[in-house]
Amino acid sequence: EKEMKKIMILGANNFLVPLIKTSKRLGFWTIVASPNEKEPGFEYADEKVIVDLCDKNAVLEAAQKLKIDGIISDQAETPVRTQAFVANKMGLPGIGEDKAELFTNKYLMREKCREIGIDTIKYKLVDNVNDAAKFYEQIGKPMIMKPIDSAGSRGVVKIEAVQTIYDQFDYSKDASKTGKVIIEEYIPGKELLIDGVVFNGIYQTLICGEYIKCNVPGVFSEYMGKYPAEITDNQLNEVNKLVKKIIEGFGLPWGRTHTEVKINDNGIWLMETAARGGGRYISSGIVPMKTDFDSCEFLLKACVGEITEVPVVHKNNKSCGYVSLFLPKGEVISVEGLQEVIDLPYTYSHNFEDIKVGFKTSEFKDKIEGRFIHLEADNDEQLYTRVEKIKQLIQIKIDTGEGMKGPIWE
């Protein structure tokens, strides 16, 4: 009997559960590594490693001791560099440390685009508030200030007055592991999300969706992530061409990608790209709704060298996505309709677990605080109708200290 191959999966939160379960289903000895032993992914693991995923050497030490055959993660930004480091040191399939650096550093992304001949927006790397303010005044139009290396919209601020830079610089800087901030031109337009797959250096798009923005002032998040994006075939073509040029130009050898671009009358502009599948279960949930491609299976087999050819992907015409709600700051007093929504025949993954009476909610600034549920439909019209039904069914009351409030949807 051939020995089970050992795969180390970095991360054990909800988003990693589909990858962990798939690893078990495929018959791999599944080692799960994460710093928080209360995370749900651990209950499916054959072996647990409690370790800080940013501590590359500690993860390497555990991986060498356990004699792993492959290392992988998905939907999470933190493990990308560690995964590449361990794979490199152990001679396992990986993307290379230089690529991991490139795909997790927003400044390097912009520099690389310039190098490979892609028109890029105006930007500057800053480590102090005065340089940021000076650059803003020089450009003279709205800008975005963000950490060079965070995920989930943490630390992202829109700048329309120089005072905002002085007020919010530390918020952006504190969200960066390196303490570096990038300030760049704000691009109006539709924001598109493109998930793709790369094998042997060849890129193909899996799905292209769009963000429908949340209108709460100061909150960088979306009210819906909707697939497919409502753009013309010609625009979709141009987007796919650009993303292919970026990913192949960056030299990613294999893996999953999640890229965000803005599209307007002046062109298509890269916001950022990542060497992992989209979070919020886009990778493990929406990709399989829209295509016959199994992200989890591909990543697991690729990380142990079992994939030998470029995957052939077939797509369908379904409409799907997720709808998000935010809870005002306070205490949850009553919850109705949540289970009913979860039980609907067309809803799937969600992160409603902690919405219970007595739950204390915190102030929200970014998408990390959003609660969302996936749904699918035969077409866009049906999708929007179903979203309205979900919004009607979910009734949550929160005592904010200034009266009762319900969830904020848009």
Side-chain angles (χ1 to χ4, degrees):
E1 192 182 337
K2 71 175 177 87
E3 212 169 292
M4 276 170 109
K5 282 192 174 165
K6 293 181 170 184
I7 289 184
M8 181 180 267
I9 292 175
L10 299 182
N13 68 19
N14 287 325
F15 293 150
L16 271 305
V17 169
L19 190 67
I20 295 165
K21 283 180 163 175
T22 306
S23 178
K24 294 281 292 171
R25 177 171 62 77
L26 294 175
F28 292 113
W29 182 257
T30 306
I31 300 158
V32 175
S34 189
N36 177 0
E37 53 191 314
K38 291 194 170 70
E39 286 182 322
F42 280 126
E43 67 179 270
Y44 307 101
D46 291 310
E47 238 168 301
K48 299 177 199 180
V49 178
I50 307 295
V51 64
D52 176 359
L53 299 182
C54 295
D55 187 340
K56 297 176 183 177
N57 288 307
V59 177
L60 174 64
E61 202 178 310
Q64 285 170 331
K65 207 162 96 186
L66 292 163
K67 298 188 169 64
I68 64 166
D69 299 290
I71 183 165
I72 198 70
S73 186
D74 191 29
Q75 302 194 53
E77 193 74 353
T78 306
V80 174
R81 294 179 191 201
T82 300
Q83 183 185 313
F85 172 80
V86 173
N88 185 33
K89 288 278 185 266
M90 292 184 70
L92 301 171
I95 63 169
E97 287 179 81
D98 54 336
K99 304 290 179 265
E101 180 72 20
L102 179 56
F103 277 91
T104 52
N105 181 318
K106 296 173 177 68
Y107 173 68
L108 293 181
M109 276 172 214
R110 297 256 174 262
E111 294 281 282
K112 186 72 177 176
C113 280
R114 204 178 250 182
E115 188 191 307
I116 60 179
I118 288 168
D119 203 5
T120 180
I121 60 180
K122 296 183 179 78
Y123 61 95
K124 187 176 175 67
L125 183 68
V126 291
D127 57 10
N128 67 75
V129 69
N130 295 333
D131 285 357
K134 207 160 103 186
F135 184 65
Y136 170 72
E137 291 184 322
Q138 210 179 313
I139 302 297
K141 51 176 157 178
M143 307 207 84
I144 293 288
M145 179 167 72
K146 59 187 177 185
I148 61 167
D149 54 2
S150 79
S153 305
R154 265 177 295 226
V156 180
V157 184
K158 187 175 177 186
I159 311 293
E160 294 182 86
V162 77
Q163 189 55 43
T164 314
I165 296 180
Y166 290 107
D167 295 344
Q168 301 281 352
F169 188 79
D170 287 344
Y171 166 63
S172 292
K173 191 175 167 126
D174 292 346
S176 163
K177 294 177 196 72
T178 53
K180 289 211 166 55
V181 170
I182 187 170
I183 179 163
E184 60 189 30
E185 218 181 321
Y186 169 75
I187 300 288
K190 199 185 270 268
E191 189 162 351
L192 303 179
L193 332 169
I194 304 98
D195 265 55
V197 59
V198 185
F199 191 69
N200 279 347
I202 297 164
Y203 169 86
Q204 58 181 313
T205 291
L206 295 166
I207 54 172
C208 175
E210 67 176 280
Y211 273 150
I212 297 170
K213 284 281 180 219
C214 158
N215 298 320
V216 181
V219 173
F220 251 87
S221 188
E222 69 282 359
Y223 146 64
M224 271 180 84
K226 183 195 163 287
Y227 297 79
E230 293 175 37
I231 52 177
T232 66
D233 289 348
N234 186 33
Q235 285 175 316
L236 180 61
N237 232 347
E238 290 304 309
V239 167
N240 287 341
K241 262 189 355 209
L242 175 71
V243 177
K244 188 177 173 73
K245 187 174 176 183
I246 292 167
I247 305 292
E248 292 181 1
F250 281 19
L252 190 68
W254 63 275
R256 283 279 282 103
T257 62
H258 177 76
T259 306
E260 299 181 1
V261 303
K262 280 275 189 84
I263 185 166
N264 61 28
D265 295 343
N266 299 324
I268 307 163
W269 313 91
L270 175 69
M271 294 297 105
E272 51 196 64
T273 185
R276 54 169 175 84
R280 296 198 153 193
Y281 302 112
I282 291 171
S283 186
S284 57
I286 292 177
V287 168
M289 277 187 211
K290 285 286 299 164
T291 70
D292 61 355
F293 178 78
D294 186 327
S295 272
C296 296
E297 196 167 311
F298 169 80
L299 288 169
L300 291 157
K301 288 181 171 173
C303 85
V304 292
E306 284 181 12
I307 300 258
T308 52
E309 56 194 1
V310 175
V312 177
V313 180
H314 303 97
K315 304 172 189 188
N316 63 43
N317 294 322
K318 267 187 198 149
S319 289
C320 60
Y322 57 86
V323 58
S324 311
L325 62 98
F326 287 94
L327 299 172
K329 187 176 179 179
E331 184 179 337
V332 176
I333 300 300
S334 70
V335 179
E336 282 169 41
L338 213 53
Q339 195 55 48
E340 205 179 326
V341 164
I342 292 167
D343 293 340
L344 287 169
Y346 50 80
T347 58
Y348 299 91
S349 312
H350 62 85
N351 66 345
F352 292 160
E353 299 83 3
D354 55 3
I355 305 179
K356 295 183 175 74
V357 173
F359 175 60
K360 293 197 171 44
T361 58
S362 48
E363 190 190 4
F364 56 85
K365 265 192 154 172
D366 54 45
K367 68 171 78 173
I368 304 298
E369 297 297 330
R371 303 285 184 266
F372 61 86
I373 189 159
H374 284 220
L375 71 156
E376 70 176 346
D378 297 329
N379 52 48
D380 284 357
E381 196 184 347
Q382 188 183 47
L383 186 78
Y384 289 124
T385 306
R386 287 177 170 179
V387 165
E388 287 311 314
K389 178 163 182 177
I390 288 170
K391 285 160 68 173
Q392 281 162 9
L393 284 172
I394 295 179
Q395 299 295 325
I396 303 169
K397 289 200 173 105
I398 290 134
D399 182 355
T400 63
E402 296 166 10
M404 289 291 178
K405 289 197 177 152
I408 297 157
W409 290 95
E410 294 178 59

